[in-house]
């Protein structure tokens, strides 16, 4: 924990404003040292001299103190009178608790519009990110979501009074203020602000709300992270050594992930996080926009299930009245049932629950699944190609419409620009067997990857492919049947493989899917082979016994796409309030 | 259960096609009666006569049987030869299991496009809803989602052979077929089809999948329901008496809700259900479209919570590794925390879990919440007015863009057209006190409604308002503080009331919301008053201690809006796979 450093931007609200005139340092301080210890012994000449000197010192000190006190009193009297006569009284102060007692209907402005309002008076509510008071000016960095701008409070005759200046100067970081001011062109670019070409000359400033305590400063929370997977596959509290800034300056600390997550509300206020979650929302929006244009219908399937199903992955058990229920590990069964119910093309965006006692950089116990399922007319590559088009649409749209957000995140999480193949050659699609060959060529033992690939080899493959094909995005098709769930359609020609694919971003899987078995007899056979009793899933089996068309689909992990696209290195950073086996709050 | 009636549309796939020529009935049957019992006694004259008659009868029978057998053999030989020489062999039959072995890339058509394709040959995959074979023609009603069209199979030289006709005629209801045919103008409107102005002359027909068994016919499942709340507040299995068709014809049964839900996949195939769930998706889409245009960001908050919180409503307990977790009863706390984290305006569409042991027409244990929360600049009516604009946008867009779906549902669930005030006068907004006055004027005892209103009085109020103001949609503001949750901001002037509202559709609540307390000290006071320990919700409290702007919001029940807008009378009909204390499957 770095409280001394991280708290340096914060002023306690109980703190009294400091007097401008301070007692000269040095002498007064020295005089507060305890007098040399002595006894009843007669004093020597030098001791007498010393005593006289001390007496003279004490006299001078008392004189000075009296003077200071008199000055203080005069200043206080002046302040009191100044406040009593304060022409600016209405222009500052704490507003009463908003209980909707008034509605003056004043128009509120937003920071992002300021560059077009030079010369105008604006009214806006914002956070004070930092406040830097000098004798004559107080410089605020005001923040709204991913925008910051400089605002200046200066004493001005008939506009800003001294009491107003003093009151404004003591406002702490993360206070919410209602500011009225005039937008002016900045004399020189304000580098600390995202909107650097204008600034606000404050004419009114009121306090709406303020923090009782801060756990770290947003300046510290926004410092650039070291590039690379620094906290990959480490529990959030095992990264103590990694806290130093890149320049080795101990006072410029980054904030630990654990500290951030413990006080996530504060952490989420950084412009980086505001941008990350804008991009998260954008990915879902683009997912829906594309699929709606392709005739898909959004569905909502129940997360409470009567039976623990689907895969060996652990499932959460729920007390359900006198019995029990289970949390859905995916909408897989439900979306296939929707296909049997003639919905033709469906998607769902919803939480997915996995009771895996895992602490890697890419596992959570609850995450958002972007799932889809569709009828196949002839071949499962219809699905794979549609999913590819979906990803390309998302990549293109993010680049076109959200470059500001991507840049904002990039200042804290620097990474190479995301690359994909968008020409006529199209997305790189290779078979699992070809992927194995690439790894073997690179020196991996074939036996190690022939049946399945671990994360390390997946990432190695990602590096090989990046080097060879210059793409961060690719598809691997025709996985070994053995490693896919019971509902996967085997390859028609080679019983070792199946009609299933994974999609990868920067060497990690973000989508898994394939053709499903739609024939109830064949499905029951495959279930039995995989040790699943078809009787235990009678509701699911009925979907196929009622006649079901050939179909396929896939499931995307929203947070994984976001983490890998932005190279955030830990899935917790791509999740509003992450959940893992150790974390259920906030 | 109505298996005999509901199964009448279904042909067992094992059933052999029947011979066209049947043995004449009557005589042969009689001859199979056991001979009269006798012994060794000598025969009387009349007995002898009878014996001779029987022998003659037997001879005639044997002769006839031989003839029939010969005819059958000839017919079988002819058929065999016909099949062997069948010119149409490639035009019909069951397709092999689709394992993506081929990809001929033939373009598939959809029913809805057929009216523009008269004279063209089309290829399409569809369900057979019904098949009506006559001697020369077989009439199919083909279905895709909310569309149906008639298709005809008839023997035609060099086009449709007799074996093809026979094979096609025995295809059962709910089989999935791949049909090639020529689109023709219908000689007269086909009333049973939604696309009645064209029909398909089949040239090829292949079977893709077929049901093993049907639990009811889709014809029965699509019959009009009696208008009015016939199964309101009744558990799904207590409605046995209500099954008869309106005309009292016992053979034209509707299908019980319980039967539908037990075999929901089959039930969901009705054009009514296809339309209902298209409208459900539309409401979410419109919700997002409007809020995105107003600067909202979509968030996803965790459903797994560390503490049982918020309200007295029962909460589901989850085994969470060595401890326990709880399922979120709403995203209320998380969305307020997002406001404290400076998201400004957020919404979430996600499941909400309520462990209430309730079986009413409007309660489920899991439903979809459409939730939003936003910063208030001056007054909570900013939120109320935005929510009103949201609803008006949804109502207008549904009417403009989804009239076909609304009409489709209306054929099964007839109801008065949904009315709202869209002129300058705007939405009807009354205070709770005014609502009480309306009820008292109507004869309700004031004491009964002064503090809270039960469902019966809410509905009564809905009828009063409908009569007086001609609107199915209205807002009640300023509820008694006593009946609202601890986080509700009290009215600034009258401590009995608070800054909270409910929105109503056809006399039932669909949205609840208001201004929240954003000051941590005041919030802790109110929590303590309501018996909630602020310490037990420290993560939530931290949001306010970190400084939070004034804010408000609301939560909408997606299925309730859908049910009430369409007057489906039971929320289970507005839910894909509903969950209540007794139902966890399918």
């Amino acid at each position: 924990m770095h409280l001394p450093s991280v708290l340096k931007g914060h002023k306690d609200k109980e703190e009294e404003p400091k007097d401008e005139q301070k007692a000269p340092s040095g002498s007064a301080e020295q005089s507060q040292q305890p007098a040399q210890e002595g006894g009843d012994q007669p004093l020597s000449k030098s001791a007498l001299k010393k005593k006289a000197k001390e007496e003279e010192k004490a006299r001078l000190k008392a004189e000075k103190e009296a003077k200071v006190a008199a000055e203080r009193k005069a200043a206080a009297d002046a302040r009191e009178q100044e406040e009593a006569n304060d022409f600016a009284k209405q222009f500052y102060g704490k507003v009463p608790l908003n209980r909707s007692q008034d509605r003056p209907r004043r128009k509120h402005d937003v920071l992002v519009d300021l560059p077009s309002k030079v010369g105008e008076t604006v009214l806006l509510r914002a956070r004070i990110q930092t406040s830097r008071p000098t004798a004559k000016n107080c410089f605020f960095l005001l923040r709204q979501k991913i925008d910051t701008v400089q605002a200046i409070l200066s004493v001005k005759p008939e506009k800003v009074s001294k009491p107003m200046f003093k009151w404004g100067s003591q406002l702490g970081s993360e206070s919410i203020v209602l500011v009225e001011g005039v937008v002016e062109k900045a004399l020189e670019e304000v580098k600390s602000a995202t909107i650097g070409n204008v600034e606000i000359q404050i004419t009114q400033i009121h306090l709406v709300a303020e923090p009782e305590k801060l756990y770290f400063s947003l300046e510290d929370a926004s410092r650039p992270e070291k590039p690379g997977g620094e906290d990959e596959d480490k529990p959030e509290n095992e990264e103590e050594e990694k806290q130093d800034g890149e320049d080795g300056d101990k006072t410029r600390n980054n904030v630990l992930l654990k500290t951030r997550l413990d006080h996530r509300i504060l952490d989420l206020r950084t412009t980086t996080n505001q941008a990350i979650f804008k991009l998260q929302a954008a990915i879902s929006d683009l997912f829906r926009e594309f699929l709606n244009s392709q005739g898909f219908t959004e569905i909502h399937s129940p997360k409470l299930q009567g039976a623990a199903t689907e895969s060996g992955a652990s499932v959460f058990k729920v007390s359900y009245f006198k019995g029990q229920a289970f949390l859905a590990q995916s909408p897989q069964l439900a979306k296939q049932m929707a296909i049997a119910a003639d919905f033709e093309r469906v998607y769902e965006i919803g939480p997915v629950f996995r009771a895996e006692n895992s602490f890697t950089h890419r596992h959570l116990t609850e995450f958002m699944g972007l799932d889809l399922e569709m009828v196949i007319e002839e071949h499962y590559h219809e699905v794979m190609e549609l999913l590819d088009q979906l990803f390309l649409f998302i990549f293109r749209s993010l680049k076109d419409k959200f470059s500001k957000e991507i840049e904002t995140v990039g200042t804290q999480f620097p990474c190479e620009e995301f690359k994909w193949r968008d020409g006529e050659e199209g997305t790189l699609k290779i078979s699992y067997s070809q992927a194995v060959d690439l790894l073997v060529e690179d020196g991996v033992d074939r036996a190690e990857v022939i049946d399945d690939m671990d994360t390390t080899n997946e990432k190695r493959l990602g590096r090989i492919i990046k080097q060879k094909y210059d793409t961060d995005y690719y598809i691997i098709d025709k996985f070994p049947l053995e490693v896919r769930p019971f509902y996967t359609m085997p390859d028609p020609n080679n019983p070792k493989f199946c009609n299933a694919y994974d999609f990868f971003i920067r060497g990690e899987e973000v989508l898994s899917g394939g053709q499903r078995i739609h024939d109830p007899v064949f499905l029951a056979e495959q279930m039995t082979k995989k040790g699943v009793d078809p009787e235990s899933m009678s509701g699911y089996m009925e979907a196929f016994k009622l006649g079901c068309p050939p179909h396929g689909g896939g499931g995307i992990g929203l947070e994984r796409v976001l983490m890998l696209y932005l190279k955030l290195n830990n899935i917790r950073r791509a999740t509003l309030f992450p959940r893992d086996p150790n974390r259920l709050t906030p």
Side-chain angles (χ1 to χ4, degrees), chain A:
Chain A
M1 301 278 282
H2 300 274
L3 293 185
S5 132
V6 300
L7 280 173
K8 66 187 193 297
H10 176 61
K11 294 187 187 67
D12 194 295
K13 68 169 178 170
E14 304 297 328
E15 202 178 359
E16 287 288 306
K18 287 184 183 74
D19 283 319
E20 274 159 34
Q21 276 193 302
K22 271 189 178 176
S25 65
S27 58
E29 272 170 27
Q30 279 167 7
S31 74
Q32 286 169 337
Q33 287 175 356
Q36 211 175 5
E37 280 186 24
D40 294 330
Q41 287 157 347
L43 297 169
S44 67
K45 214 175 180 178
S46 68
L48 277 173
K49 204 172 169 185
K50 195 174 177 189
K51 194 180 172 230
K53 206 174 169 186
E54 276 168 9
E55 279 169 358
E56 173 62 8
K57 217 174 176 178
R59 194 189 55 79
L60 283 170
K61 188 190 162 201
E63 227 170 53
K64 186 165 269 166
E65 278 176 355
K67 196 182 161 199
V68 167
E71 278 169 2
R72 273 195 188 151
K73 191 178 179 309
D77 288 351
R79 200 161 58 228
E80 208 169 276
Q81 199 173 350
E82 209 171 54
E83 273 167 21
N85 301 330
D86 187 2
F87 63 85
K89 239 181 197 174
Q90 304 300 313
F91 302 161
Y92 69 98
K94 182 163 183 169
V95 298
L97 180 69
N98 183 321
R99 292 175 63 170
S100 300
Q101 51 275 68
D102 297 310
R103 195 176 184 188
R105 293 179 186 265
R106 294 168 76 195
K107 195 185 153 297
H108 285 62
D109 295 278
V110 287
L111 292 195
V112 76
D113 290 344
L114 296 190
S116 67
K117 290 184 182 278
V118 173
E120 291 177 38
T121 297
V122 293
L123 173 72
L124 46 87
R125 178 186 39 72
R127 289 270 179 196
I128 296 176
Q129 176 146 325
T130 53
S131 134
R132 198 157 49 82
T134 66
K136 295 200 169 166
N137 298 297
C138 183
F139 298 94
F140 295 105
L141 190 67
L142 298 183
R143 190 186 70 238
Q144 277 179 350
K145 298 171 103 172
I146 69 168
D147 300 304
T148 55
V149 76
Q150 179 161 276
I152 304 153
L153 182 67
S154 328
V155 176
K156 272 182 207 151
E158 285 169 49
K159 293 211 163 144
V160 176
S161 65
K162 276 185 189 170
M164 177 173 171
F165 177 78
K166 270 182 210 161
W167 183 87
S169 300
Q170 54 77 44
L171 288 170
S173 291
E174 295 306 299
S175 295
I176 301 173
V177 287
L178 187 65
V179 161
E180 194 194 82
V182 180
V183 183
E184 293 181 355
K185 266 212 165 341
L187 292 180
E188 58 179 316
E189 178 87 9
V190 183
K191 281 187 186 149
S192 59
T194 65
I195 303 170
N197 55 344
V198 295
E199 51 195 26
I200 304 172
Q201 284 292 344
I202 296 173
T203 52
Q204 295 194 19
I205 182 162
H206 288 91
L207 179 66
V208 177
E210 64 189 331
E212 289 180 5
K213 179 185 171 185
L214 295 179
Y215 301 88
F216 45 83
S217 79
L218 262 71
E219 299 286 276
D220 281 343
S222 306
R223 296 196 196 290
E225 304 278 332
K226 271 185 196 155
E230 68 233 273
D231 50 27
E232 289 200 10
D233 298 328
K234 293 244 162 74
E236 56 189 44
N237 47 3
E238 280 186 20
E239 30 145 10
E240 251 71 9
E241 326 88 289
K242 307 259 171 46
Q243 50 193 262
D244 298 343
E246 281 161 277
D247 51 6
D249 177 354
K250 286 275 178 194
T251 64
R252 299 193 57 206
N253 287 321
N254 291 344
V255 182
L256 288 184
L257 184 56
K258 183 184 185 319
T259 310
R260 291 175 187 272
L261 297 180
D262 285 346
H263 307 288
R264 185 64 163 160
I265 290 160
L266 188 58
D267 184 41
L268 286 172
R269 290 181 190 164
T270 62
T271 51
T272 308
N273 274 324
Q274 294 289 321
I276 287 173
F277 289 95
K278 181 116 186 233
L279 289 165
Q280 192 197 62
I283 292 171
S284 301
D285 265 338
L286 294 167
F287 177 84
R288 287 185 293 250
E289 185 185 339
F290 181 81
L291 295 179
N292 285 348
S293 79
Q294 300 293 312
F296 281 74
T297 305
E298 184 179 26
I299 58 167
H300 303 292
S301 68
K303 304 310 154 205
L304 291 167
Q305 297 289 339
T309 51
E310 196 182 337
S311 71
S314 316
V315 57
F316 286 115
K317 204 182 282 181
V318 183
S319 299
Y320 198 77
F321 303 99
K322 283 171 189 162
Q324 61 183 25
F326 303 88
L327 291 180
Q329 293 157 287
S330 92
Q332 181 63 32
L333 309 187
K335 65 185 182 165
Q336 287 193 259
M337 286 152 81
I339 294 300
D342 287 355
F343 280 68
E344 300 261 346
R345 295 179 157 203
V346 295
Y347 67 85
E348 174 161 4
I349 297 186
V352 164
F353 304 93
R354 302 276 165 92
E356 287 168 51
N357 201 1
S358 163
F359 292 90
T360 77
H361 75 288
R362 60 178 194 163
H363 285 94
L364 292 172
T365 51
E366 179 176 353
F367 63 91
M368 290 306 294
L370 309 184
D371 274 89
L372 66 82
E373 201 72 20
M374 62 182 261
V375 168
I376 287 170
E377 302 298 358
E378 296 176 347
H379 197 286
Y380 78 99
H381 281 176
E382 294 160 23
V383 191
M384 195 175 93
E385 288 161 13
L386 182 137
L387 286 166
D388 182 31
Q389 288 305 315
L390 166 64
F391 270 102
L392 295 180
F393 176 76
I394 291 175
F395 298 151
R396 287 176 199 138
S397 305
L398 287 180
K399 195 176 179 181
D400 289 353
K401 296 181 197 163
F402 296 91
S403 56
K404 180 178 169 183
E405 284 77 12
I406 294 167
E407 263 171 46
T408 300
V409 179
T411 59
Q412 185 166 354
F413 294 94
C415 72
E416 286 175 46
E417 198 191 352
F418 182 73
K419 283 199 172 173
W420 73 94
R421 303 208 303 187
D422 210 352
E424 264 184 39
E425 57 187 2
T427 299
L428 180 71
K429 293 165 191 153
I430 60 173
S431 69
Y432 185 85
S433 304
Q434 288 171 307
V436 168
D437 288 346
L438 283 173
L439 282 166
V440 171
E441 275 168 36
D442 198 54
V444 176
D445 181 14
R446 187 174 291 272
E448 201 186 305
V449 289
I450 190 74
D451 296 322
D452 199 4
M453 227 175 260
D454 64 10
T455 315
T456 311
N457 279 319
E458 275 183 3
K459 287 190 184 175
R460 182 165 180 167
L461 180 65
R463 287 191 297 271
I464 298 168
I465 286 177
K466 178 70 186 262
Q467 197 157 30
K468 197 162 176 173
Y469 301 99
D470 195 30
T471 180
D472 291 308
Y473 162 67
Y474 50 90
I475 300 170
I476 299 182
D477 192 14
K478 292 284 179 200
F479 268 70
L481 179 61
E482 190 62 27
V483 299
R484 306 298 278 212
F486 64 79
Y487 47 73
T488 311
M489 181 65 83
D491 180 89
N493 305 311
N494 188 333
K496 265 205 65 173
F497 294 100
C498 61
N499 295 348
Y501 39 75
D502 277 3
F503 286 37
F504 291 81
I505 288 185
R506 301 195 203 260
E508 295 190 49
E509 178 250 312
V510 291
L511 175 147
S512 204
Q515 181 177 0
R516 330 297 189 181
I517 301 173
H518 61 283
D519 180 80
V521 178
F522 190 34
L523 179 60
E525 267 174 44
Q526 293 296 106
M527 286 169 98
T528 309
K529 270 190 200 166
K530 292 253 184 189
V532 179
D533 179 10
E535 289 294 309
S536 72
M537 302 177 70
S538 56
Y540 176 65
M541 288 305 295
E542 189 171 296
F544 308 101
K545 291 182 180 168
L546 285 166
C548 182
H551 61 284
I556 300 169
L558 172 60
E559 296 87 350
R560 278 207 190 169
V561 173
L562 188 63
M563 164 183 79
L564 293 165
Y565 181 86
L566 296 171
K567 246 187 156 321
L568 303 178
N569 302 322
N570 193 309
I571 198 152
R572 289 159 185 79
R573 294 204 180 91
T575 312
L576 198 66
F577 298 112
R579 294 292 182 256
D580 66 31
N582 285 344
R583 181 173 288 284
L584 275 168
T585 52

